[in-house]
Amino acid sequence: MELLYLKSPNAVRYTLLTGACLLLAGNLGHGLAVEHVPSAANTWAQCLLVLVTTDIYWNSAWQKLNSDQFRSGLYLAQWVHVYAQVKSQLPHRRFQYAVPGLVRQHAGNLSGRDVRVWRAVAAVTIAAEITLPAALLVPQTMPYAVAAGITMHVAFTCLKPRQLITFSGLTVGMYVAFTP
């Protein structure tokens, strides 16, 4: 999954290979085997997908927690500000970034207020990445966690559509592995 940040054909091959291996996984305790009868209990795949998703979110949160620039909101403020300044000069400008004009207009400067807004966004992102895997495992919180995860990945994809559309789509798609 981490390789999906890249626009490499190897990332697609890796994802397809991993998916094929997980499709062959059967019940816990029975090992990897191709069965002629479809099984509704694909618990190895489910377990691995939950672990991979949790690992992705917690590693991302750890990296963000260790980044003073991200936690301060300065990284996101600078990202949106620079994008607003050079948007018209970018090749493939419609497909490089999709930050809505409303966001650029109201939080696209480097003023103290804008940096505080992005600091709050950074804190919410870190908190969501820490709590989302656990919330996906609890049936009562799962619908809210799925909605929060989809919203978070839509926002990520707006920052870098060409690089994150595959990653965000597959990560959100793995939420089904959390269902009992």
Side-chain angles (χ1 to χ4, degrees):
M1 284 300 294
E2 302 256 353
L3 293 175
L4 293 175
Y5 285 120
L6 305 174
K7 294 187 303 180
S8 165
N10 289 333
V12 175
R13 289 182 195 114
Y14 173 78
T15 303
L16 293 175
L17 179 62
T18 302
C21 289
L22 290 175
L23 287 173
L24 297 176
N27 280 332
L28 287 171
H30 292 95
L32 296 174
V34 177
E35 296 179 15
H36 297 290
V37 179
S39 171
N42 200 352
T43 50
W44 270 118
Q46 191 174 20
C47 213
L48 289 172
L49 287 173
V50 167
L51 289 174
V52 166
T53 305
T54 303
D55 175 63
I56 289 169
Y57 279 126
W58 285 358
N59 277 327
S60 179
W62 178 254
Q63 295 296 324
K64 289 175 175 102
L65 278 169
N66 287 318
S67 169
D68 292 334
Q69 189 178 22
F70 185 86
R71 280 192 337 262
S72 72
L74 190 57
Y75 175 77
L76 292 171
Q78 289 173 332
W79 183 273
V80 174
H81 176 73
V82 168
Y83 165 69
Q85 301 301 312
V86 300
K87 180 182 180 216
S88 63
Q89 300 168 15
L90 294 173
H92 312 290
R93 58 184 152 265
R94 290 186 308 165
F95 303 112
Q96 285 289 350
Y97 304 99
V99 178
L102 187 66
V103 173
R104 288 192 316 268
Q105 182 181 4
H106 293 289
N109 294 314
L110 295 175
S111 69
R113 185 191 80 61
D114 290 346
V115 173
R116 284 191 303 276
V117 166
W118 290 112
R119 183 179 306 131
V121 169
V124 167
T125 301
I126 292 168
E129 288 181 336
I130 291 170
T131 59
L132 199 62
L136 285 166
L137 288 171
V138 178
Q140 293 82 1
T141 59
M142 186 182 190
Y144 305 106
V146 168
I150 290 170
T151 302
M152 184 171 66
H153 279 280
V154 166
F156 291 164
T157 303
C158 284
L159 292 174
K160 293 176 120 181
R162 289 182 62 160
Q163 290 83 10
L164 294 180
I165 189 77
T166 307
F167 172 77
S168 288
L170 288 172
T171 303
V172 168
M174 286 196 312
Y175 291 171
V176 298
F178 286 80
T179 57

